[in-house]
Amino acid sequence: MKKVYDFLRSQKTGIIVGFAVTGLLIIGSLIMNYCPESYEGLSGEDITFFFNEPKPIHIWFYLMFVAFAMYGICIFICTLDSILRKVKARSKKVALYGASIVHIGFLVTLVAHLVGGIWSESGRPITVSNTWVQAGEYELKVTGLDSTTYPNGMPRKITAQMKIRKDGEEYDDTLGYNNPVLVDSGTKQFLLRNYGNMPNAVVMNIDGQTVTLNIKDVIEINGTDVLIANLYMPPQFPLPVLQLVSKGNNDKYDQTYVRIGRQNVQNVKGVDVIFQDIKSTPAVVVTTKKNPSIPLTLIAIGCFGSGMLLVVFRTAYKMVRV
C-alpha cells in the first residue's frame, strides 16, 4: 500500500500523466478534425455524448478520462501530503500554504469540468424582441440594441439592453458576445447567438384607409374576417409578401398574396388592398445554458488567486530578506 501511495504522490508520476493527457488531447483534436461525422451531436462541455454512444473511435477520450482521474488523484495525494507535513512541522506561516491552495484550485477545477460535462444543458435558440418572451421560469425582453462595426463592415461590439422578469420582479441587464446574462447565481446563462431587426408589424392600406397590423391579426374586409397569416421575406420571395387567409365557399379557405409596394394593388373580397410598409424592432437570438459547475468554478478562481498571492508574497519576502 505504501508503494502505491509513494507512486501516486511522486512528482514523476504527475509529470508523466500530465504529458499523457496533453498527448491524448492532441490526438483527440486531430481525430475530431478528420472524422467530424463521428462527432455530430457533440456540443459544448457535454461528455455524456461519449458514453451514450460508445465507439472504438472514441478510445482516446476514454483513455484521457482515466488519465484525468489519475491526475486528480495524484494532485489530491500530493496536496494532502504537503499539508500534513507542514502541520506536523507546526508551521504557522500562512504563506507556506500558498502552493497547496493552488493545488486545491486545480482539484476543484477538475471536479467543476466533470460536473459541467455531465449535467450541463443547452436549450434551443429563442428570438427575443420588444415583447416578453418566456424562457423557462424567466421572461426576457429587448429594450435597445447598439452595435459598432469595423471599417470592413464586420461587427465589432454588440450590446443589447435587456429586461429580465421572474415572479413579478423585473430588472435590467446587458447582453453581448462574451457577455451573457447570468441568473440563478450564474448556473443559468442566456448567450447571444445573433442579432438584428425583426419585422413586428405591417402597414396596409385597405380601401383608402391606412392601418398598422400585427401578424396573426384578424381584420374585417367587406363583411369577411381576414387573417394576416404570414409575412414572407427574401430570399423566400424577391420582395416581402403578405399572406392573407379568409373563409371562402363550401367551407374552404381562400389565400391571397400581397406584394409590398403601392403599385402592387390586390383585390381582396372586392376591396383594394395595398401592402405599404414593414415596421421592425431590435431583436436578438439567445440560447439558454444551464451549468451547475459555475459555483465550483468561482471557488477554483478564489483558490488560484489567493494561493498565487501567498506564493508571490513569500517570494518577495525572501528577496527582501536576502
Side-chain angles (χ1 to χ4, degrees), residues 149-154 156:
T149 58
Y150 289 103
N152 61 0
M154 293 293 291
R156 181 177 184 177

Side-chain angles (χ1 to χ4, degrees), residues 207-218:
D207 198 20
Q209 183 179 359
T210 301
V211 292
T212 300
L213 302 165
N214 297 318
I215 305 301
K216 305 303 180 185
D217 279 354
V218 176

Side-chain angles (χ1 to χ4, degrees), residues 246-254:
S246 58
K247 193 170 183 179
N249 298 324
N250 301 322
D251 293 330
K252 293 183 178 179
Y253 289 90
D254 297 329

Side-chain angles (χ1 to χ4, degrees), residues 281-293:
T281 182
V284 295
V285 178
V286 301
T287 53
T288 307
K289 183 178 181 181
K290 294 181 180 179
N291 191 346
S293 68

